[in-house]
Amino acid sequence: MIRDRRILEAKRLIAATGLTITQVSASVGFADPAYFCRLFRRETGLSPGEFRRALGPGAPPPSGP
């Protein structure tokens, strides 16, 4: 149940912010971004990057340098 909530929050952050995937991972409580990506893919069928791209052109651009 906690994992589901973390993935839901990650989806929200990916869709509504320009945070990097590493920043999203840390924001939802994962110290290892690679583990977060594996879990995200297992739960959603898409990597976090694929999920963001699937949102289309309305998604915010990634932030950072």
Side-chain angles (χ1 to χ4, degrees):
M1 187 147 104
I2 294 170
R3 181 180 60 216
D4 292 342
R5 177 68 182 133
R6 290 165 103 183
I7 295 297
L8 181 63
E9 180 65 8
K11 286 178 175 180
R12 187 190 70 76
L13 289 171
I14 291 168
T17 71
L19 295 175
T20 66
I21 301 307
T22 300
Q23 291 169 324
V24 170
S25 172
S27 295
V28 296
F30 290 92
D32 181 359
Y35 176 72
F36 166 73
C37 289
R38 284 192 306 273
L39 180 66
F40 191 94
R41 181 184 292 275
R42 187 179 335 142
E43 296 295 318
T44 66
L46 297 170
S47 73
E50 290 168 340
F51 181 81
R52 179 171 274 160
R53 286 187 292 278
L55 295 173
S63 63

